Amino acid sequence: MKATILTSIMLMISSLVIGQVSSQEAIKKLDFLLGEWEGQAKAVTGPGQVQELHQFESVELRMGEKMLFMEGKGYQENEMVFNAVGLVTFDEGKQEYEMQSWLATGEKTKAYFKEKGDKFFEWGFELPNGKIRYFIKLDEKGRWSESGEFSPNGEVWYPSFEMLLSKIEK
């Protein structure tokens, strides 16, 4: 009888584990971002105000390939005016991605990060006055294309960011 109960419990537990994605498998889906990137970015900084940047992104795997580490640096006239770091991990228990980011200004955020398709992800977070969301994908030429939107209410969205980067071949 004990053997039957133990076998039943083991089968129930194994059925919960089957079909789950490991953190390494999930992070591997972001391999298309690995490497050094360079290009142009535009950010809306206020009504009618756009900041244009020469943007660099460096992306690598860390922590036994269970974490994606990204650092972005934006320049105007050879002066760095933007610097951010982002970490993407995968929670095996919840079966969902998590993202945290930090700006050089001291601001930080915990963001959602969702797979939307093959080499296509969305990430975003809430602000006191609305929401921000970004869409990352490779375009038909293999460039990193990222666009961002702001919404004061989660219903109407306004373009707030665009970036197009090419991989730097070494």
Side-chain angles (χ1 to χ4, degrees), residues 109-161:
T109 188
K110 188 171 186 175
Y112 71 84
F113 196 91
K114 296 179 182 178
E115 185 176 13
K116 302 294 278 182
D118 184 40
K119 298 180 182 178
F120 180 32
F121 287 82
E122 176 185 338
W123 68 279
F125 52 93
E126 294 198 20
L127 298 168
N129 63 337
K131 298 178 180 194
I132 294 274
R133 67 181 180 190
Y134 296 91
F135 300 96
I136 300 172
K137 62 183 176 181
L138 285 188
D139 71 6
E140 65 282 348
K141 295 181 180 177
R143 296 177 298 186
W144 175 339
S145 174
E146 186 166 350
S147 60
E149 300 174 324
F150 167 76
S151 175
N153 58 17
E155 295 176 20
V156 179
W157 292 90
Y158 302 96
S160 62
F161 179 80

Side-chain angles (χ1 to χ4, degrees), residues 71-72 80-85 101-108:
E71 182 175 19
M80 186 171 26
V81 296
F82 173 81
N83 188 207
V85 169
S101 64
W102 296 264
L103 295 174
T105 59
E107 297 171 85
K108 62 182 178 177

Side-chain angles (χ1 to χ4, degrees), residues 45-122:
T45 57
Q49 300 174 339
V50 176
Q51 183 179 44
E52 295 191 27
L53 303 171
H54 188 77
Q55 185 73 20
F56 294 88
E57 294 282 340
S58 178
V59 183
E60 60 187 66
L61 295 174
R62 298 225 177 140
M63 306 296 290
E65 299 185 350
K66 294 181 181 179
M67 174 189 291
L68 189 79
F69 175 86
M70 301 178 280
E71 182 175 19
K73 295 178 180 180
Y75 294 84
Q76 285 181 325
E77 299 174 14
N78 296 323
E79 180 183 341
M80 186 171 26
V81 296
F82 173 81
N83 188 207
V85 169
L87 301 176
V88 178
T89 57
F90 186 79
D91 185 312
E92 290 181 0
K94 294 179 184 175
Q95 288 290 287
E96 63 187 31
Y97 290 94
E98 298 175 332
M99 181 176 180
Q100 293 188 22
S101 64
W102 296 264
L103 295 174
T105 59
E107 297 171 85
K108 62 182 178 177
T109 188
K110 188 171 186 175
Y112 71 84
F113 196 91
K114 296 179 182 178
E115 185 176 13
K116 302 294 278 182
D118 184 40
K119 298 180 182 178
F120 180 32
F121 287 82
E122 176 185 338

